[in-house]
Amino acid sequence: MKIGVIGGGAAGLAAAYELGLRGHTAEVFEGAPFLGGQASTFDVGGTPVEKGYHHLFRSDTAMIDLMSELGIGHQLKWIDSNVGYFVDGRLWKFTSPFDLMRFSPLPLLDRIKLGLMTLMLQRRKEWHSLEQVTATEWLKEHAGRKGYEVIFEPMLRGKFGDHHDRIAMSWLWNKFALRTASRGKGLLGRFKEQLGYPVGSFAEIFDVLAERVRSQGGQVHINAKVQGTIVEDGRCVGLRVAVDGGEPETRTYDAVLSTVPSYIMPHVAPDLPESYVAHLTDKTYLAAVLVVLVLDRPLSRHYWTYVGDRSIPFLGIIEHTNFIPAENYGGGHIVYLTNYLERDSRLYQMSAEELYREYLPHLAQINPAFDESWVKEHHHHKVDAAQPIVTPGYADTIPDHRTPIAGLYLANTTQIYPEDRGTNYSVRMGRQVAALIDDDAN
Ligand SMILES: Cc1cc2nc3c(=O)[nH]c(=O)nc-3n(C[C@H](O)[C@H](O)[C@H](O)COP(=O)(O)OP(=O)(O)OC[C@H]3O[C@@H](n4cnc5c(N)ncnc54)[C@H](O)[C@@H]3O)c2cc1C
């Protein structure tokens, strides 16, 4: 079969590769001038680095296996994680259970309660009963009001902004399960989390995937925006696509896989029935808004710092070069200041310079020695469909990968559940949907 794939991110490229392995020919159309979608990169000191911080967990086996299969498994490095938490004007180390025991903003009894709850949640296998309750309700009951307010509310806000109190507990349960899987074995290992990074950046994975698709006889286009699907007698038979700024042209396929966000899908496939469209348009995404600083020295000791102080206008600080050494980036220290925002919010609407100016005065709270002269470069990136909001009852609203139009399939991040979206799950889903398309053909 000849299959058209819309989107050259992790899902689209993995699907195209899997289709090639199964003897089909895939043609990928990516609207942007680069591959990788949300995990795409830009250059710092001549080395690519993600526009939004990226790492892998030990449990990300779909991505780990894919890298081995592509012959680039050796590029995946595992590094001890190093987490901080900024609250009450102080930066706390927050990597191991010992750090929690030393965390005095929370009374001792609450720390013990929180430690026990964490242990219980990490060991818990059953999660369906957590689907109908919000994380806020569950945590207030099991970690106590204070534990929720001091620790979890800022973390949930960091990920979901104003939607923080609507998130399903099943989503949070999965985070605990993942973090447990990223910890080592044995008594000491249990207190150490390791995170993975493909040296050379995630771009390396997408480039090798695209090469493989081409060597399988497929094609991968960038600057190729799909304008719509072509449906005849209830079956998707092709695409309208403008390649390299040219006039839109028609290409025919036996099947089409779309990996675009849910709110774009009804425009790409206007023939979809209302019953299916309802489960596309009922999804809410937050946008990730990033200011990326390249400094001439480190800002902090931590890779990942949660910001629990509401007077600071960003929700997390990810110092990539406390993970991958600054020498890889011409000596530049890369610091992401991150927020997840609604697209109509004030901070989302700000220009790169306005947002940089808004954030700058707060860096001295994190490191009192900070001075603007440390900043060698600053960048601004936005990812619109960054984080689907997962509320109680979400599972019942997930649209099927097989759309009601024969030969038209959907694989996007709203269909990943109860896991959080991530490159690993897009790879897994892309490959699974490729298998589905193959099954339907036989
Ligand atoms: C700030 C941030 C941090 C993250 N951190 C991590 C992390 O640490 N680890 C991790 O594993 N994951 C992380 N993720 C998540 C991960 O990047 C995504 O889950 C994954 O890349 C999604 O891949 P995808 O292919 O499903 O979707 P996308 O990457 O969104 O790909 C969809 C593609 O479709 C294209 N497209 C849309 N419309 C059209 C059209 N009409 N025609 C042609 N092309 C079109 C888009 O340009 C896009 O490239 C992070 C995401 C963000 C935003």
Side-chain angles (χ1 to χ4, degrees), residues 6-12 29-32 36-39 52-56 60 202 224-226 259-261 264 268 288 290 340 383 386 411-413 421-424 426 429:
I6 314 174
F29 298 100
E30 168 54 54
Q38 297 183 42
Y53 48 89
H54 270 69
H55 57 246
L56 294 172
D60 286 341
F202 279 68
K225 189 163 184 226
V226 171
T259 67
V260 306
I264 296 181
V268 167
L290 302 133
Y340 284 92
V383 181
N412 75 22
T413 56
R421 78 342 175 216
T423 53
N424 177 70
S426 287
M429 176 176 60

